[in-house]
Amino acid sequence: MARTTLVAANWKMNGQREANEALLLALRAADLDSLSCDVLICPPALYMAQVSQLLADTGITLGAQNVYSQPQGAFTGEISARMLKDFACSHVLVGHSERRELFGETDAVVCAKFTAIQAEGLIPILCVGETEAERDAGQTEAVITRQLKAIMATLGADSLQRAVIAYEPVWAIGTGNSASPAQAQAVHAFIRALVAQEDPHIAAALQILYGGSVKAVSAGELFACEDIDGALVGGASLNADEFIAICRAA
Ligand code: PGA
């Protein structure tokens, strides 16, 4: 089954107007639209308007890093999926390990956000992944199963028809120590098989991205793996040359 490759940039809490502009102008000039992959930029919410303006007519789409589970109301400091839709966001990250670890987001919170994203017709990018201690203890598959079942048991496997999964081993994020293509492929195949137990057609069409220290030098080998359908890129997405090279490797 042919799946489109998606390269998504997660800027995290980085950027300022001037630096963003330089980065985005470089992406514009690189004509990423002519590539076979889809490219998505997830800036801090505050810069969404700037990014959408600078990327107008490029084919590069806009995503968000986080969302609250309610559509509107007295939730000081929060941003809803409805607001993200208002800015033409197509995708929203949910369950990123930094949200889980630093902001205490449980599987139940992740599921509520996932639901809110889909309720507005946006596509959740559900991040899953094990810590180093969990991998060392042979718990990788159990952790991934728990994180995925938290969605599938509540919303059904059908909900993955309009979703993307990002496998992001926590030990690989921001460490410079990417999973090897074989390590990543093994977990991606496991994720696809887990979904296939519920629905083989949805599993075959499901985009599964790899994230964790993706760099231009390693991207080609990762993208060549059968079950790797793109990348969620953090640090390297802040460097125009690196990010463009990753997109070109797709
Ligand atoms: P990294 O981050 O590429 O800097 O490791 C990836 C992510 O956290 O999405």
Side-chain angles (χ1 to χ4, degrees):
M1 140 85 55
R3 292 177 296 266
T4 317
T5 302
L6 173 65
V7 180
N10 175 11
W11 286 5
K12 308 194 180 186
M13 197 176 73
N14 293 294
Q16 287 201 300
R17 275 188 293 183
E18 210 177 305
N20 298 347
E21 184 169 342
L23 177 54
L24 294 164
L25 289 177
L27 299 188
R28 274 194 81 95
D31 193 21
L32 298 179
D33 211 13
S34 63
L35 304 178
S36 57
C37 65
D38 291 332
V39 180
L40 175 76
I41 307 288
C42 304
L46 198 56
Y47 294 118
M48 225 153 245
Q50 185 196 19
V51 174
S52 74
Q53 207 172 21
L54 280 164
L55 292 183
D57 310 323
T58 61
I60 299 174
T61 51
L62 184 64
Q65 298 175 17
N66 188 28
V67 70
Y68 191 57
S69 55
Q70 298 300 316
Q72 63 188 39
F75 304 103
T76 301
E78 294 297 323
I79 288 172
S80 73
R82 190 174 290 176
M83 293 168 180
L84 297 176
K85 190 177 177 182
D86 206 16
F87 276 81
C89 268
S90 59
H91 294 69
V92 187
L93 304 182
V94 63
H96 191 282
S97 66
E98 286 152 17
R99 300 295 318 171
R100 292 180 192 262
E101 275 180 26
L102 302 173
F103 302 96
E105 292 192 4
T106 60
D107 285 332
V109 168
V110 172
C111 187
K113 291 187 173 193
F114 186 103
T115 306
I117 294 162
Q118 287 194 332
E120 291 297 336
L122 308 184
I123 300 171
I125 300 180
L126 173 69
C127 304
V128 297
E130 80 288 1
T131 63
E132 188 164 28
E134 288 163 342
R135 173 164 281 259
D136 291 347
Q139 292 294 305
T140 299
E141 294 187 352
V143 171
I144 304 287
T145 302
R146 193 202 78 226
Q147 292 171 334
L148 264 180
K149 289 265 161 101
I151 300 299
M152 289 200 284
T154 311
L155 304 175
D158 279 5
S159 65
L160 296 180
Q161 222 162 0
R162 291 160 291 112
V164 174
I165 307 275
Y167 169 54
E168 297 210 306
V170 180
W171 48 270
I173 295 177
T175 59
N177 176 27
S178 168
S180 68
Q183 282 173 320
Q185 165 58 27
V187 179
H188 282 230
F190 174 77
I191 292 170
R192 204 177 299 287
L194 199 64
V195 177
Q197 285 172 13
E198 307 284 330
D199 190 316
H201 298 291
I202 291 175
L206 183 64
Q207 272 180 327
I208 309 176
L209 315 183
Y210 168 77
S213 296
V214 174
K215 300 269 186 310
V217 286
S218 55
E221 268 192 302
L222 287 163
F223 294 149
C225 296
E226 190 181 340
D227 289 292
I228 298 182
D229 308 311
L232 181 53
V233 187
S237 73
L238 299 170
N239 177 306
D241 291 342
E242 270 288 308
F243 188 66
I244 290 164
I246 291 168
C247 295
R248 292 210 165 118

